[in-house]
Amino acid sequence: MTSNAWMQLILYFAVLGLLAKPLGWYMARVYLGQPCCGMERVFGWLERSIYRVANIDERHEMGWRQYAVAVLLFNAVGFFAVYALLRLQGMLPLNPQQFAACTPDLAFNTAASFATNTNWQSYAGETTLSYLSQMLGLTVQNFVSAASGMAVLVALIRGLTRRTTATIGNFWFDLVRSTLYILLPLSIVVALLLVSQGVIQNFRPYATVNVLQPTVASDGTKGETQTLALGPAASQIAIKQLGTNGGGFFNVNSAHPFENPTPISNFVELLSILLIAAALCYTFGVMVGDTRQGWALLAAMYVIIVPLTVFTAWQEQNGVPAYTALSVDQTAHVDQPGGNMEGKETRFGIVNSALWASATTAASNGSVNAMHDSFTPLGGLVPMWLIQLGEIVFGGVGSGLYGMLMFVIVAVFIAGLMVGRTPEYLGKKIEAYEMKMASLVILIPPLVVLVGTAIAVIGPGLDYAAGNEIKSNLNNPGAHGFSEVLYAFSSAGNNNGSAFAGLTTNEPFNNLALGLAMLAARYWLMIPTLAIAGSLARKKFTPPSAGTLPTHRPLFVAMVVGTILLVGALTFVPALALGPIVEHLQMIAAS
Amino acid sequence: MATTHKARPLFDPPILRRAVIDAFTKLDPRRQLRNPVMFTVFVGSILTTGLGIDALITPGAESAAFILGVSAWLWFTVLFANFAEAMAEGRGKAQADTLRATRRDVQAKKLSKPEYNATRSLVSASTLRKDDVVLVEAGDMIPSDGEVVEGVASVDESAITGESAPVIRESGGDRSSVTGGTRVLSDWIVVRVSANPGETFLDRMIGLVEGAKRQKTPNEIALDILLAAMTIIFLIVCATLLPFSKYSVAAAGQGSPITVTVLVALLVCLIPTTIGGLLSAIGIAGMDRMIQANVIAMSGRAVEAAGDVDVLLLDKTGTITMGNRQAVEFIPADGVDLPHLADSAQLASLADETPEGRSVVVLAKDRYGLRGRNVHDLGATFIPFTAQTRLSGVDFDGRKIRKGAAQSVEQFVIGNGGSFSSDVHRHVDGIARQGGTPLVVADGARALGVINLKDIVKGGIKERFIELRQMGIKTVMITGDNPQTAAAIAAEAGVDDFLAEATPEAKLKMIRDYQAGGRLVAMTGDGTNDSPALAQADVAVAMNSGTQAAKEAGNMVDLDSNPTKLIEIVEIGKQLLMTRGALTTFSLANDVAKYFAIIPAAFATTYPVLNKLNVMGLATPSSAILSAVIFNALIIVALIPLALRGVPYRAVGAARLLRDNLLIYGVGGLVVPFFGIKLIDVLLVTLRIV
Amino acid sequence: MFSLLRPTIVVFLALSLVTGVAYPLLVTGVAQLIFPRQANGSLIEANGRVVGSDLIGQQFDDAKYFWPRPSATSPAYNAAASTGSNLGPTNPAQLDAVRTRTDAVRKANPTQHGPVPVDLVTASGSGLDPHISPAAALYQVDRVARARGVDAHRVRELVTQHIEGRTFGVLGEPRVNVLRLNLALDSLK
């Protein structure tokens, strides 16, 4: 790796760390109902009128069950709204390209995808979705699904901090404030920054330009013009990054020059991916009254993501031995980034592509600026594994941290036993009920991923591998084909949304299976999380003593990291061995 | 903290024999079902046995020898886990047998009413019900638990406590409770029975040590859930590996799919069998360690709670200070020289066998070189302490030397025509103010001076409290002394806090206050008036010498009646949790090496390149799989001693404890199997088994 | 449950209006006001007609133009349907593609004897990559110069002028915008 590669990596992680504190501090004020730097003067009237019209008493406290019902109901409404929009797209306005209605399975998959903050793209933005669908369907879900995740996290934090009470806050308060005070202002700023770099934002029909050099394709068709897909992209991209949604305006997502035209836009979008998730760690610290606890969690995330990012960049920079054998120059030098450039953009080169790949999969973002399917086997293993860890290293906004806290609970439990006490976290005893719920949260994603993959490979996949003509689904043969399916279910089963995009998923089986996986992974985890919040809120607070395990020290960070990696490795190593690991060994052996 | 541990060797041959037999009887599926991890192995064993037999008849992909080899070791895995549990139970059972021997059916002298002279009838002890009244005379076995309502007797409780010195049991007060199975040595007592047959202390104790009614403790349940979750995860991992493998075979165009035998082997290696197999043994052993320390815990929950204790309420007398005060100083009255006072004090105490009396003799010897003399050689007459005079001393050479409380001695002096001088009064008051007990020595009509009896803080207790502080446990001294005295002793002993002029109500309130602050409180008590506080405390240790009410209120009984035992109890509780945590970590960390052994082997025919992952260089796929399975089984046996003894606890902070245990059991768990599996593989190859 | 229905519907509709209508319209309004060129696709006009976008690559296969990276879209550089190849590095189809492209590039640039810069023979992620690496541009200088009958030095100079360095010297990678370079070539002389 070049010295510039290191500089870009260090710069990114340093800026991210620096921004975590001020934003985290601000978000804590939003959730604690404190003055928010004048933002309430801009949006306060809106917030209050929403409460008034909706007949909401935002100070009314909810128990965990009521909170859960509110989250689920709200998300269900969003799900059906997107489904209806996509099905009725052909009849609705703002459809300059006159796209027809989506098929039921695609509409189901996309609705599930956006309601669950996954943003798996079975659709190809510029060829299937009208501007109205993008705005009123996808953009809205980008906001509210993110806000739902943040709300659940805040409820869990309240559970940790409250003592002997039955309530964990008000969902509407958390949802509306997340949207208006956090996501909306940040999105406006990021969207305008992106437009300044060349990200498009208009309502024009696709533009046709005359190309400089007309071409004649091999089949004789003449190419004298080029059609440029246009639309209100910047506003959606800003929130898709900030809300860890990731669903692109265009098919190739942020690899598309209109979505991500310059290194600066790339840096801003990259930062947006992890920004809120990182800052929420600090928010957590503020809200539990000990910022060291928040820093410890952020440190655990850094400890996992930084080495993996470096590893991916290293693998991609090493390139593909077979290319070198074909007399292709993959070395990095002053005139070219070198490395495995298949599926990568010249302006981003190796390091920005690798950094994006690990950031987008560490967070449950799923946007891409390079095609993961074309990564080297081990370079592609990293994003896949980061997803499989459960989308908790940063993870989705809100959902990542509450997932992380479930792992913390497990780590605390084992560590607590090892110091000879009933485990406790932040003064709350971790008992059988918490273990049951945390186990569910940890259990469900692997279940969805592995069972889903198994069903998919013995069905269409096996037919293909056996030489039967169902080639359309898989783009790559052998172990890599297996990786594609595994990646798809990992992505859906952890609400990430990125893909080894060679797998054609816009067909009924995959749309349905992946849609169900996304729904299970999102809501099946939210409910036990809220149950833990409720249970913790009811507990007494045990003041710390010398016998209490400190949960902010490096040792505990190591314990959490170890727990995450061990569970992640133990669960997915066999599957990974049959996919990227064997592919890597084959690649090495072949050269 | 000298406690007489009844050390029983870890692998006692009779226990060992019984455990081996029990390991087989525990194969009952209903028993296996209680432990999800081991039940999974159990099912796997049956499955592979079936497959092995099938392969014998119709040869398939794997050789029958290999399948049956795996199968045999899976059975061993189950048996080893059973054996571990049986070992832990066996130690309790042996103890129970000893106890049961004392519960021979005896004849009881049942009284028609609670009086010595009431009509008596001979009945079998087993027919006695609660509130029956019996007479127990010298040589009789006390037929059941009860309360002495009349009389006083010395009782041999060695059957229960192991302590050979007889104890006094009398009606009224805090020494009124008697335990069935103990023997009256002298005099007689009338006892009101307080337990129905089968519910006596002895019965309960037998039940507890046998582990017959063992219920899972809260932390054990939580851990069980985690282990079950891990088991389900690995079940999914292995089950989905079959379709994955089928796909891979088709994709690679070579090899054959993974066999069910290998899948089962992989599953058993991955699920946390080490901790799963030893979990119940650890719990039973924890109870057993309590018993070794002569503490009967009424439930496993109490043992576990002991590990969580934040606050220890300790009675001053007997725990922090010597049970008896000791003479530390002689203060002569005006005109009396010190050696004379010392000499007289010594004479007055020569025949006084109380600890206080002996301490006077010791002080006289140490400080003034006065050798001990024999009362009889001197021809002196010993005047013992009586309730009337409340004095003791000697008549010797025409002198009447007495010592006692100031008031009593003053009466004695006045009776002999003398009087106390003002300086004697001054000395008496001064000592009392400093928390000491003044004893006045008089010779006939003359007060010679004052002996200062002081509370002596036990040696080593201060260090113990420092340790407790490092463990995060706060110590609170409970005393009836005035605040001034209490503060002086508290400072000397180094306790964190004290409760002076303690009343039962104040004690109860203090416990409640601590609990409201989220703390777990442990205390010891013996008197009936301790019962409310004992009932309130999270860990309540009743002295066996205490009243029945106290024993009912507590959740542990200390047979040694040693108040310092509380500290030991806390350590045992912590040890119990630590052992579980350490073995869980070890068990999970083990999986890494097992993957490296099994994955390349399992897919050797499909993807030969995966052999690069065979970092241990295991000989063949079958030897690799077999080695992993054998290691997995043997590690259970290897860890039985640790499970039974417990992970050693040291009084250091939580962070250090975690670091050390992570290094030993986490990193160790990661590394050890690499060597273990390789070693077994080498052995298998050398012995030409594979 | 039913008591939650009204808040659910109202909050959903309200937030839909705010984030789905007001927000994109606001951003569009501001964008059109202060960054109209960027907001509308950074279009390039030459001689009064739109010849493309700064950001979207075009297909070139004439020897007198610099060639862009291979594109996986159909047809190449189809800006209405972006896609990458999504071929893995061990996929025989991918190795064939790289081999074919390498052979073609080497044949087209006979003066070059070194290995081919990797970006010239690998498809970009979007299929619309407007850039090639400076190495890939320099590789083609001789061919372009000969096809156009101009001095290779002038072409090389033009390429050097068109190299965009890393932003702030750190971010991104050095690159050459193929369309801009080719436009500049046409206006050479």
Side-chain angles (χ1 to χ4, degrees):
Chain A
M1 281 171 58
T2 61
S3 55
N4 170 263
W6 286 107
M7 273 168 66
Q8 297 208 44
L9 290 176
I10 292 168
L11 184 70
Y12 175 72
F13 285 114
V15 172
L16 179 68
L18 285 177
L19 290 179
K21 185 171 173 175
L23 180 60
W25 171 84
Y26 169 77
M27 287 193 289
R29 297 184 76 82
V30 170
Y31 292 121
L32 293 169
Q34 295 165 346
C36 309
C37 313
M39 204 55 83
E40 61 274 7
R41 254 172 293 176
V42 186
F43 293 111
W45 63 273
L46 191 55
E47 185 194 2
R48 284 187 298 274
S49 12
I50 291 177
Y51 295 150
R52 201 168 46 243
V53 178
N55 198 17
I56 290 168
D57 174 9
E58 78 276 16
R59 283 176 303 271
H60 165 76
E61 288 279 329
M62 295 176 169
W64 80 263
R65 286 191 180 82
Q66 198 188 3
Y67 201 104
V69 170
V71 178
L72 294 181
L73 202 61
F74 181 79
N75 277 257
V77 168
F79 171 83
F80 287 116
V82 176
Y83 183 83
L85 259 178
L86 297 179
R87 295 288 291 143
L88 301 172
Q89 174 174 277
M91 294 181 261
L92 296 171
L94 271 179
N95 186 3
Q97 299 309 115
Q98 290 170 6
F99 293 129
C102 298
T103 58
D105 57 283
L106 178 61
F108 164 76
N109 182 284
T110 306
S113 169
F114 279 77
T116 58
N117 195 257
T118 310
N119 296 29
W120 172 265
Q121 281 177 268
S122 255
Y123 66 93
E126 66 269 43
T127 55
T128 28
L129 297 187
S130 71
Y131 293 165
L132 186 77
S133 303
Q134 294 257 19
M135 280 164 50
L136 212 50
L138 308 194
T139 306
V140 170
Q141 285 304 310
N142 280 349
F143 276 98
V144 296
S145 69
S148 298
M150 292 159 85
V152 171
L153 169 69
V154 173
L156 178 62
I157 297 176
R158 291 203 190 98
L160 276 166
T161 51
R162 290 186 176 179
R163 295 166 195 188
T164 54
T165 164
T167 59
I168 53 173
N170 181 299
F171 171 64
W172 308 117
F173 176 85
D174 297 337
L175 175 81
V176 171
R177 286 178 78 90
S178 298
T179 310
L180 294 185
Y181 291 109
I182 298 170
L183 296 172
L184 195 56
L186 278 173
S187 295
I188 293 172
V189 172
V190 169
L192 290 174
L193 271 174
L194 293 180
V195 175
S196 79
Q197 292 301 304
V199 177
I200 54 174
Q201 180 71 21
N202 56 58
F203 284 95
R204 299 179 182 192
Y206 292 180
T208 303
V209 301
N210 295 300
V211 295
L212 187 57
Q213 183 225 298
T215 52
V216 181
S218 50
D219 61 356
T221 52
K222 286 189 179 170
E224 294 179 338
T225 59
Q226 185 182 37
T227 303
L228 301 178
L230 295 174
S235 56
Q236 197 197 309
I237 293 159
I239 183 61
K240 92 164 187 208
Q241 299 301 81
L242 286 165
T244 58
N245 299 284
F249 195 84
F250 297 105
N251 183 42
V252 292
N253 212 296
S254 282
H256 198 293
F258 276 164
E259 276 206 41
N260 189 7
T262 68
I264 292 182
S265 71
N266 191 65
F267 192 80
V268 170
E269 289 183 26
L270 252 179
L271 212 51
S272 307
I273 292 178
L274 296 185
L275 180 64
I276 293 181
L280 278 173
C281 293
Y282 189 79
T283 307
F284 169 78
V286 173
M287 289 181 76
V288 301
D290 181 0
T291 51
R292 295 173 309 176
Q293 302 289 346
W295 288 123
L297 296 184
L298 189 60
M301 295 177 181
Y302 264 64
V303 167
I304 295 176
I305 193 176
V306 172
L308 288 178
T309 305
V310 171
F311 179 76
T312 309
W314 177 59
Q315 283 297 316
E316 291 306 302
Q317 189 67 64
N318 280 351
V320 181
Y323 295 172
T324 307
L326 291 171
S327 186
V328 172
D329 182 10
Q330 295 185 87
T331 56
H333 53 75
V334 78
D335 284 332
Q336 69 162 22
N340 173 25
M341 283 299 285
E342 180 71 29
K344 296 188 180 65
E345 299 282 296
T346 310
R347 59 194 179 283
F348 306 138
I350 296 298
V351 64
N352 280 302
S353 302
L355 182 54
W356 188 299
S358 65
T360 194
T361 50
S364 79
N365 184 287
S367 64
V368 294
N369 75 348
M371 299 299 119
H372 295 180
D373 210 352
S374 298
F375 273 31
T376 57
L378 294 185
L381 179 145
V382 167
M384 182 158 21
W385 195 48
L386 272 167
I387 295 172
Q388 289 166 341
L389 291 180
E391 287 306 2
I392 53 162
V393 182
F394 296 97
V397 290
S399 65
L401 193 52
Y402 68 65
M404 175 63 125
L405 288 171
M406 295 302 121
F407 269 93
V408 168
I409 284 176
V410 173
V412 158
F413 181 76
I414 299 174
L417 288 183
M418 274 201 284
V419 300
R421 267 172 84 94
T422 294
E424 55 203 25
Y425 184 55
L426 303 176
K428 294 300 180 83
K429 286 224 183 313
I430 304 301
E431 291 163 299
Y433 185 78
E434 285 74 30
M435 279 318 287
K436 201 184 290 174
M437 294 301 147
S439 294
L440 265 184
V441 172
I442 290 173
L443 182 65
I444 288 164
L447 184 131
V448 172
V449 171
L450 292 174
V451 173
T453 310
I455 294 172
V457 294
I458 41 176
L462 197 61
D463 279 346
Y464 164 62
N468 302 336
E469 291 303 311
I470 310 182
K471 292 196 179 185
S472 51
N473 279 353
L474 289 167
N475 198 26
N476 288 284
H480 194 86
F482 178 74
S483 302
E484 286 184 340
V485 182
L486 180 63
Y487 196 107
F489 279 91
S490 300
S491 179
N494 289 288
N495 296 133
N496 179 273
S498 69
F500 271 12
L503 179 73
T504 303
T505 55
N506 186 11
E507 49 87 36
F509 169 77
N510 278 326
N511 273 338
L512 188 67
L514 294 169
L516 289 175
M518 291 185 269
L519 291 173
R522 178 74 166 181
Y523 301 112
W524 214 349
L525 302 198
M526 263 188 185
I527 296 168
T529 303
L530 286 170
I532 289 186
S535 153
L536 290 175
R538 275 193 296 274
K539 285 179 197 263
K540 284 195 290 195
F541 173 79
T542 311
S545 72
T548 314
L549 178 74
T551 52
H552 61 269
R553 300 247 186 90
L555 184 69
F556 184 73
V557 170
M559 181 80 198
V560 171
V561 169
T563 308
I564 294 168
L565 295 184
L566 201 64
V567 171
L570 293 181
T571 312
F572 291 103
V573 157
L576 291 171
L578 293 177
I581 293 175
V582 84
E583 191 191 358
H584 171 78
L585 294 172
Q586 285 172 333
M587 185 176 87
I588 299 290
S591 64
Chain B
M1 303 319 107
T3 12
T4 50
H5 284 276
K6 281 173 278 184
R8 197 183 287 277
L10 207 54
F11 289 100
D12 200 18
I15 296 177
L16 211 56
R17 269 195 298 279
R18 188 148 73 171
V20 171
I21 297 164
D22 279 354
F24 285 92
T25 57
K26 281 171 186 281
L27 285 176
D28 182 342
R30 282 164 302 178
R31 297 201 61 143
Q32 293 293 320
L33 203 51
R34 276 191 229 159
N35 182 337
V37 179
M38 294 319 293
F39 183 71
T40 310
V41 184
F42 181 69
V43 172
S45 314
I46 296 173
L47 188 62
T48 47
T49 310
L51 288 170
I53 294 167
D54 182 54
L56 279 176
I57 303 161
T58 49
E62 303 276 16
S63 76
F66 170 73
I67 301 175
L68 289 174
V70 170
S71 176
W73 280 99
L74 296 190
W75 282 115
F76 280 132
T77 312
V78 179
L79 287 172
F80 290 160
N82 288 347
F83 175 71
E85 193 183 71
M87 278 296 293
E89 285 172 353
R91 294 160 66 77
K93 276 183 182 155
Q95 192 106 10
D97 285 347
T98 327
L99 290 171
R100 208 177 269 121
T102 64
R103 201 181 52 175
R104 290 179 304 254
D105 200 23
V106 294
Q107 294 289 302
K109 296 163 186 161
K110 191 174 168 187
L111 297 177
S112 57
K113 52 184 176 180
E115 280 170 19
Y116 179 65
N117 297 324
T119 48
R120 53 185 80 165
S121 54
L122 273 184
V123 299
S124 162
S126 58
T127 62
L128 289 173
R129 312 289 303 171
K130 205 169 170 181
D131 288 334
D132 285 347
V133 184
V134 292
L135 171 70
V136 192
E137 291 172 303
D140 289 351
M141 186 81 85
I142 298 176
S144 185
D145 293 359
E147 200 80 27
V148 179
V149 290
E150 196 185 344
V152 54
S154 63
V155 179
D156 171 15
E157 296 196 334
S158 60
I160 306 272
T161 63
E163 181 65 51
S164 54
V167 293
I168 300 297
R169 292 288 176 245
E170 58 190 347
S171 62
D174 289 347
R175 293 176 177 275
S176 64
S177 102
V178 289
T179 311
T182 56
R183 187 180 295 279
V184 171
L185 294 178
S186 69
D187 304 296
W188 55 266
I189 43 176
V190 176
V191 175
R192 185 193 305 278
V193 174
S194 62
N196 288 326
E199 293 169 9
T200 64
F201 183 68
L202 198 60
D203 291 320
R204 268 192 294 166
M205 198 160 142
I206 291 169
L208 284 165
V209 295
E210 271 190 323
K213 282 188 295 181
R214 208 177 76 85
Q215 286 184 328
K216 285 184 177 172
T217 56
N219 272 316
E220 200 179 352
I221 293 170
L223 182 57
D224 251 350
I225 291 168
L226 180 69
L227 296 181
M230 297 305 295
T231 307
I232 296 172
I233 288 182
F234 290 126
L235 202 59
I236 299 165
V237 168
C238 293
T240 53
L241 214 46
L242 188 60
F244 294 175
S245 157
K246 281 189 174 156
Y247 173 88
S248 300
V249 168
Q254 58 179 348
S256 50
I258 190 166
T259 61
V260 175
T261 309
V262 175
L263 276 180
V264 171
L266 179 62
L267 176 64
V268 169
C269 285
L270 292 180
I271 60 175
T273 47
T274 313
I275 177 68
L278 294 172
L279 190 56
S280 67
I282 295 169
I284 298 166
M287 297 279 280
D288 187 51
R289 276 198 298 280
M290 283 288 185
I291 292 163
Q292 304 289 319
N294 260 351
V295 176
I296 302 294
M298 296 303 170
S299 68
R301 184 186 280 261
V303 180
E304 212 177 76
D308 289 346
V309 161
D310 295 302
V311 179
L312 284 189
L313 300 191
L314 298 166
D315 276 327
K316 182 200 78 177
T317 308
T319 310
I320 295 168
T321 61
M322 299 293 203
N324 304 291
R325 297 171 179 219
Q326 288 185 6
V328 291
E329 195 183 7
F330 297 128
I331 307 170
D334 286 348
V336 179
D337 64 339
L338 196 52
H340 179 61
L341 171 64
D343 182 66
S344 307
Q346 191 213 36
L347 283 172
S349 308
L350 276 179
D352 181 358
E353 286 302 317
T354 64
E356 286 86 354
R358 269 179 288 184
S359 79
V360 173
V361 179
V362 169
L363 182 70
K365 181 182 168 192
D366 287 355
R367 196 76 65 82
Y368 305 101
L370 298 174
R371 305 246 320 264
R373 290 163 282 188
N374 191 296
V375 186
H376 296 290
D377 295 351
L378 293 170
T381 325
F382 177 53
I383 311 294
F385 182 90
T386 65
Q388 284 78 35
T389 61
R390 301 177 64 201
L391 291 170
S392 67
V394 286
D395 284 351
F396 161 65
D397 243 1
R399 290 166 70 190
K400 289 179 165 184
I401 306 173
R402 298 288 184 275
K403 73 173 198 302
Q407 224 178 344
S408 317
V409 176
E410 189 163 16
Q411 273 174 10
F412 170 79
V413 170
I414 293 168
N416 283 285
S419 70
F420 268 23
S421 57
S422 63
D423 63 304
V424 172
H425 277 295
R426 204 177 62 241
H427 293 316
V428 166
D429 291 346
I431 291 168
R433 254 201 312 280
Q434 290 161 22
T437 306
L439 282 185
V440 182
V441 181
D443 185 350
R446 190 171 170 219
L448 297 175
V450 188
I451 306 171
N452 183 1
L453 284 181
K454 222 181 126 190
D455 266 324
I456 302 296
V457 172
K458 284 187 175 175
I461 196 87
K462 194 164 186 167
E463 290 69 30
R464 211 58 200 258
F465 289 147
I466 292 171
E467 277 184 17
L468 284 169
R469 203 165 300 122
Q470 283 165 345
M471 287 156 70
I473 295 173
K474 186 173 170 165
T475 45
V476 181
M477 182 180 86
I478 307 287
T479 170
D481 294 342
N482 62 54
Q484 235 178 343
T485 312
I489 297 169
E492 194 182 339
V495 291
D496 296 315
D497 201 356
F498 64 88
L499 179 66
E501 287 167 355
T503 59
E505 295 75 36
K507 235 170 167 176
L508 186 61
K509 183 179 177 303
M510 185 173 216
I511 295 174
R512 289 205 171 125
D513 287 349
Y514 274 120
Q515 287 173 335
R519 300 195 182 267
L520 250 69
V521 182
M523 70 167 287
T524 55
D526 53 2
T528 302
N529 58 10
D530 283 332
S531 304
L534 282 169
Q536 181 70 33
D538 301 282
V539 174
V541 183
M543 300 292 108
N544 189 47
S545 59
T547 61
Q548 198 63 32
K551 283 197 246 179
E552 293 289 335
N555 48 18
M556 293 188 195
V557 177
D558 177 18
L559 300 177
D560 294 340
S561 304
N562 170 6
T564 326
K565 199 63 83 54
L566 208 45
I567 298 169
E568 212 167 328
I569 290 171
V570 169
E571 289 186 355
I572 292 173
K574 285 195 178 293
Q575 223 183 7
L576 174 68
L577 296 183
M578 277 170 52
T579 310
R580 286 195 196 127
L583 288 184
T584 304
T585 310
F586 186 84
S587 195
L588 289 177
N590 263 214
D591 284 1
V592 175
K594 292 171 188 165
Y595 266 137
F596 278 100
I598 295 184
I599 293 288
F603 302 109
T605 55
T606 314
Y607 290 128
V609 284
L610 276 177
N611 199 40
K612 284 236 163 110
L613 298 184
N614 180 9
V615 290
M616 286 171 270
L618 305 178
T620 64
S622 3
S623 79
I625 291 164
L626 209 51
S627 304
V629 173
I630 293 174
F631 175 83
N632 192 54
L634 290 181
I635 198 73
I636 295 180
V637 179
L639 290 174
I640 288 176
L642 184 71
L644 296 188
R645 277 203 205 102
V647 169
Y649 179 80
R650 286 174 305 117
V652 292
R656 232 187 92 213
L657 214 50
L658 177 63
R659 190 196 65 195
D660 295 352
N661 283 334
L662 258 185
L663 276 179
I664 299 170
Y665 300 99
V667 178
L670 222 49
V671 176
V672 166
F674 279 99
F675 294 99
I677 293 173
K678 176 69 186 171
L679 188 69
I680 295 170
D681 181 72
V682 169
L683 280 176
L684 286 180
V685 172
T686 324
L687 300 173
R688 295 176 192 284
I689 291 171
V690 291
Chain C
M1 183 88 178
F2 288 105
S3 64
L4 286 172
L5 223 48
R6 176 166 165 190
T8 305
I9 305 283
V10 173
V11 171
F12 180 73
L13 289 178
L15 292 183
S16 292
L17 281 179
V18 172
T19 62
V21 178
Y23 160 69
L25 289 179
L26 173 79
V27 173
T28 310
V30 177
Q32 292 290 343
L33 205 67
I34 46 179
F35 307 113
R37 181 169 183 274
Q38 291 97 317
N40 293 319
S42 310
L43 300 179
I44 306 170
E45 290 191 25
N47 313 321
R49 31 170 240 170
V50 179
V51 293
S53 160
D54 265 340
L55 301 177
I56 305 293
Q58 290 181 8
Q59 175 66 336
F60 291 97
D61 51 14
D62 195 319
K64 66 177 185 168
Y65 285 117
F66 281 90
W67 295 353
R69 300 184 58 186
S71 164
T73 63
S74 173
Y77 287 89
N78 179 351
S82 58
T83 186
S85 74
N86 286 312
L87 294 174
T90 57
N91 190 334
Q94 166 69 0
L95 295 179
D96 282 347
V98 172
R99 185 180 296 114
T100 313
R101 290 170 193 151
T102 310
D103 290 347
V105 167
R106 293 178 78 85
K107 212 170 110 195
N109 301 282
T111 57
Q112 296 292 339
H113 301 294
V116 181
V118 64
D119 54 319
L120 263 189
V121 294
T122 49
S124 64
S126 61
L128 304 173
D129 195 343
H131 301 113
I132 52 177
S133 69
L138 294 169
Y139 194 87
Q140 303 180 55
V141 163
D142 288 350
R143 184 198 78 226
V144 172
R146 194 163 51 193
R148 290 189 170 254
V150 292
D151 188 36
H153 281 297
R154 292 189 62 192
V155 179
R156 182 167 287 112
E157 204 170 294
L158 202 62
V159 168
T160 320
Q161 282 165 12
H162 277 80
I163 294 177
E164 301 170 41
R166 293 193 171 98
T167 311
F168 313 128
V170 181
L171 292 178
E173 299 296 338
R175 59 204 179 274
V176 175
N177 187 309
V178 180
L179 181 58
R180 280 285 180 192
L181 177 61
N182 284 337
L183 280 169
L185 266 182
D186 277 355
S187 54
L188 210 63
K189 277 174 247 185

